[in-house]
Amino acid sequence: MSEPAPKKRLYIKTYGCQMNVYDSERMADVLAPLGYGMTDDAAGADLVVLNTCHIRERATEKVYSELGKIRELKEARAEAGGRMTIAVAGCVAQAEGAEIMRRQPAVDLVVGPQAYHQIPELIARSHRARGERLAADFAPDEKFDALTPERRPTGVTAFLTVQEGCDKFCSFCVVPYTRGAEWSRPAGDIEAEARSLAEKGVREVTLLGQNVNAYDGVGGLAALVRRLAKIPGLDRIRYTTSHPRDMDAALIAAHAEVAELMPYLQLPVQSGSDRILKAMNRAHTAQSYLRLIERVRAARPDIAISGDFIVGFPGERDADFEATMQLVREVGYASAFSFKYSRRPGTPAAAMPGQVAEAVKGERLQRLQTLLDDQQRAFNARQVGRTLDVLFERVGRNPGQLIGRSPYLQGVHANAPDRLIGQIVPVRIDGAAKNSLAGMLELETA
Ligand code: SAH
Ligand code: SF4
Ligand code: F3S
């Protein structure tokens, strides 16, 4: 394919969840026809996009401090007679809108997560005048209709958004306010995008959604997984993030029956205390969650379970926290994400009594993370001596080494020739650390 050399340079910095990673790629796709090519050098960029996250206070503050730095680059550029456009996209853009430009006047435009297809037009407009620059109020179907299925994948794995938004309204969370109500893409569009990825060498897709298992096409996420599993060349399918409430029997059965569906499940629980779960508006109990895990394990005994946790939610007492520790011991996680509760203005929990002191949150988080780290190490150590299928993704740090992923999403490094990038290869695991495994090729592959 011959493309004109890019005349303009685009720098995108991505914060937050994988949804944002996917959206950043799509923004690059819509800007490419306008002559924008990616650069890693913010100082030399014509267009800087910060794709932001609002989930915790610190995530939002990081964005403003980065904007301060980009502003200096913009000024330096202007002094040298150049021009830099600064765009803020993502969940801070949606939540704070024009407020961002008041706090950081160097920002030229603010664009919410449902309006990325409008970026080219917004940029043109911001160059022309200082008129209407906000685009934060569009429906997701317009966004996806306007983004063509043509993707430019850069590797052998790719994200694919199938569902957006959330209307669960957990009392601590901003996502229902930044991403809007749950909305699912038509299965045909998703399949077209997946086929296009597979034709370009992608072997593994991760289906994304704020509540991906709430995917509401015919037959739900299970039917979508089965449909995508038939695409030639697409050998691995993953999905994230799931809500316990939407984990239905069909999806559990798919874990037993669909070989392409990888044995990994991120199923956030947030707390092991029913009292706190109720205050969080999570709609599951510790027991119902444990029963669900049992059913998933009955279908796929070796599945790697991952989860999200919040400590120090308002009103959390020692006994509630101990209930979380107990639940963790009962589940045995392969990996996890855990956070101190962060008070988000406008969410119901922000106004709840019994806000927990930072020091207490810190102690609890440390204890929880020690336990979760031990479990992760133990899960990894159990793979030693086994032979796992590894999809090699890229060259490693040491010469002759490749890095890939096991079915359980563990990073695996092994000495292997470059030609195996993009191949799924049996690797005998002979070492395990907290974050990765080491192995050797089986003789017939090497
Ligand atoms: N939809 C997913 C999670 C999306 S947000 C789910 O329901 O599990 C990712 C994670 O950020 C959450 O699982 C939660 O653990 C954490 N999180 C969200 N809001 C938070 C807050 N106010 N303070 C601390 N952690 C938060
Ligand atoms: Fe946030 Fe809850 Fe929705 Fe997850 S399910 S995105 S935690 S409101
Ligand atoms: Fe953050 Fe928005 Fe994702 S708030 S976690 S970027 S949905």
Side-chain angles (χ1 to χ4, degrees):
M1 213 163 65
S2 72
E3 290 180 24
K7 289 182 286 292
K8 286 172 265 177
R9 280 154 299 176
L10 167 64
Y11 173 84
I12 305 185
K13 181 154 182 170
T14 308
Y15 300 82
C17 62
Q18 287 129 327
M19 192 79 64
N20 268 8
V21 176
Y22 175 88
D23 282 342
S24 290
E25 285 174 17
R26 301 316 308 263
M27 282 190 260
D29 290 344
V30 291
L31 287 163
L34 287 151
Y36 282 96
M38 291 294 284
T39 173
D40 293 333
D41 169 34
D46 301 286
L47 172 60
V48 170
V49 178
L50 298 191
N51 194 8
T52 63
C53 175
H54 197 56
I55 199 86
R56 285 169 290 274
E57 194 177 356
R58 192 179 293 181
T60 310
E61 285 313 313
K62 265 196 221 157
V63 170
Y64 282 107
S65 87
E66 185 68 19
L67 279 174
K69 290 186 212 151
I70 304 281
R71 176 203 190 138
E72 287 171 22
L73 299 179
K74 179 176 179 164
E75 286 166 357
R77 197 87 201 283
E79 274 167 34
R83 184 193 165 96
M84 177 190 285
T85 301
I86 304 179
V88 177
C91 291
V92 177
Q94 184 64 41
E96 305 205 344
E99 181 60 28
I100 297 171
M101 290 195 249
R102 273 192 288 276
R103 231 177 116 171
Q104 182 45 274
V107 171
D108 298 283
L109 61 108
V110 174
V111 53
Q114 308 311 344
Y116 295 151
H117 54 292
Q118 298 196 322
I119 279 194
E121 190 190 338
L122 287 167
I123 283 165
R125 236 193 266 165
S126 99
H127 278 263
R128 250 182 271 128
R130 297 278 136 193
E132 226 264 270
R133 285 171 301 184
L134 286 174
D137 282 312
F138 292 86
D141 50 345
E142 290 177 33
K143 161 179 168 174
F144 284 108
D145 284 349
L147 297 173
T148 64
E150 215 37 53
R151 297 271 306 266
R152 299 159 194 262
T154 51
V156 299
T157 64
F159 291 133
L160 206 177
T161 294
V162 305
Q163 181 276 337
E164 277 223 43
C166 179
D167 36 44
K168 304 279 195 283
F169 289 92
C170 299
S171 59
F172 50 81
C173 183
V174 294
V175 172
Y177 310 96
T178 62
R179 293 276 175 164
E182 285 176 8
W183 183 83
S184 298
R185 289 177 73 188
D189 294 0
I190 296 166
E191 185 181 338
E193 193 170 323
R195 280 188 188 280
S196 142
L197 289 168
E199 281 158 15
K200 295 183 178 108
V202 168
R203 304 287 305 269
E204 173 179 309
V205 287
T206 302
L207 309 179
L208 296 181
Q210 266 89 19
N211 285 287
V212 69
N213 60 346
Y215 179 76
D216 73 356
V218 180
L221 187 64
L224 182 67
V225 164
R226 287 176 193 270
R227 182 168 172 173
L228 299 181
K230 296 201 188 93
I231 296 176
L234 207 59
D235 295 311
R236 288 181 158 193
I237 298 172
R238 304 181 184 278
Y239 60 92
T240 199
T241 304
S242 299
H243 193 287
R245 185 155 61 172
D246 297 312
M247 199 68 212
D248 63 12
L251 188 55
I252 294 175
H255 274 287
E257 293 160 12
V258 180
E260 290 81 359
L261 185 57
M262 290 293 101
Y264 173 93
L265 175 64
Q266 189 185 351
L267 198 62
V269 66
Q270 313 297 359
S271 169
S273 156
D274 290 346
R275 204 173 62 83
I276 296 299
L277 286 169
K278 193 152 184 251
M280 285 177 163
N281 193 28
R282 282 294 289 183
H284 57 80
T285 62
Q287 271 313 312
S288 71
Y289 179 85
L290 288 168
R291 274 201 306 276
L292 188 54
I293 298 284
E294 263 170 38
R295 286 170 57 215
V296 172
R297 282 190 166 141
R300 183 75 208 233
D302 63 334
I303 198 162
I305 304 286
S306 175
D308 296 11
F309 299 87
I310 293 176
V311 299
F313 184 83
E316 186 186 76
R317 305 187 195 120
D318 284 340
D320 299 305
F321 174 67
E322 293 306 331
T324 300
M325 294 289 281
Q326 185 53 31
L327 179 137
V328 170
R329 285 183 209 107
E330 283 176 49
V331 171
Y333 286 90
S335 66
F337 304 89
S338 49
F339 312 98
K340 287 193 244 179
Y341 168 70
S342 172
R343 200 171 178 173
R344 308 307 287 130
T347 61
M352 285 181 188
Q355 299 287 327
V356 175
E358 274 308 305
V360 175
K361 287 186 202 170
E363 277 164 34
R364 288 179 186 166
L365 187 65
Q366 206 171 9
R367 275 189 61 205
L368 176 63
Q369 289 185 338
T370 303
L371 176 59
L372 290 166
D373 285 354
D374 287 348
Q375 293 192 341
Q376 183 167 337
R377 270 192 211 94
F379 182 83
N380 288 350
R382 282 204 293 282
Q383 315 305 323
V384 174
R386 290 183 70 193
T387 296
L388 300 181
D389 282 341
V390 173
L391 170 58
F392 282 119
E393 294 176 14
R394 57 193 163 87
V395 295
R397 215 178 292 152
N398 302 330
Q401 197 182 58
L402 296 187
I403 295 185
R405 291 209 179 262
S406 76
Y408 311 108
L409 203 62
Q410 296 145 306
V412 181
H413 46 93
N415 286 330
D418 288 5
R419 66 180 164 80
L420 292 182
I421 291 178
Q423 305 291 312
I424 296 171
V425 175
V427 173
R428 191 162 171 84
I429 304 302
D430 57 16
K434 194 193 129 210
N435 290 315
S436 65
L437 302 176
M440 279 165 56
L441 296 190
E442 296 278 275
L443 281 181
E444 56 273 29
T445 341

